[in-house]
């Protein structure tokens, strides 16, 4: 049986080796040693990347645009949640912050996480 030694990922070179091994294990059958190795390596890669290249939350406008793209929504589709088409435009351009009422509505109706919509800006 061919066994691979799993080591901590401490450097970008270690990361590259782990990603290469993950690529080779992607078709591993469930409940096999290869599937277990894939799971452990994936978790190690995630930990390393989270520590060295954390990804912050998107801006509220970016999150709304992403949800619009996912749902094939136009700006006019946001009017019930934000207000007038002018307000929608101001929010999407970043000229105006979201109000608490807008955040609640976008979260409730479009499923955008509230922590993303809160962003780091002040509420109106």
């Amino acid at each position: 049986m061919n066994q691979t030694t799993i080591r901590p990922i401490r450097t970008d070179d270690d990361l590259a080796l782990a990603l290469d091994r993950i690529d080779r294990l992607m078709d591993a059958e469930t409940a096999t040693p290869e599937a277990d190795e894939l799971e452990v390596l994936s978790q190690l890669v995630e930990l390393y990347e989270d520590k060295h290249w954390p990804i912050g939350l998107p801006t509220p406008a970016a999150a709304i645009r992403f949800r619009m793209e996912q749902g094939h929504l136009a700006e006019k589709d946001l009017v019930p949640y934000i207000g007038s088409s002018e307000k929608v435009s101001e929010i999407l351009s970043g000229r105006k912050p979201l109000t608490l009422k807008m955040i609640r509505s976008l979260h409730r109706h479009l499923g955008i996480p509230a922590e993303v919509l809160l962003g780091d800006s002040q509420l109106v």
Side-chain angles (χ1 to χ4, degrees):
M1 175 158 118
N2 183 12
Q3 285 190 331
T4 302
T5 303
I6 296 177
R7 300 179 18 219
I9 299 173
R10 294 185 179 107
T11 66
D12 288 349
D13 289 338
D14 292 341
L15 177 65
L17 291 171
L19 291 172
D20 183 55
R21 181 66 180 152
I22 286 171
D23 282 342
R24 288 181 280 150
L25 293 169
M26 286 306 288
D27 294 326
E29 292 188 33
T30 305
T32 62
E34 290 81 12
D36 291 344
E37 182 182 356
L38 175 62
E39 183 177 348
V40 171
L41 282 174
S42 297
Q43 291 172 358
L44 289 172
V45 165
E46 182 179 355
L47 287 170
Y48 182 84
E49 289 179 342
D50 286 350
K51 181 178 179 182
H52 294 278
W53 301 300
I55 298 174
L57 294 175
T59 65
I64 295 167
R65 287 190 182 283
F66 179 72
R67 183 63 186 101
M68 288 172 66
E69 184 179 311
Q70 284 181 317
H72 306 289
L73 302 172
E75 287 189 21
K76 66 181 173 74
D77 298 320
L78 298 180
V79 169
Y81 315 122
I82 293 178
S84 68
S85 57
E86 182 179 324
K87 282 186 183 178
V88 171
S89 178
E90 290 173 337
I91 296 296
L92 292 177
S93 70
R95 290 191 314 266
K96 296 275 184 176
L98 291 167
T99 65
L100 188 54
K101 182 178 177 183
M102 291 173 191
I103 290 170
R104 286 183 176 142
S105 186
L106 290 165
H107 173 69
R108 183 178 306 118
H109 297 287
L110 297 182
I112 302 172
E115 61 270 17
V116 171
L117 293 171
L118 286 167
D120 58 9
S121 62
Q122 300 224 342
L123 295 177
V124 176

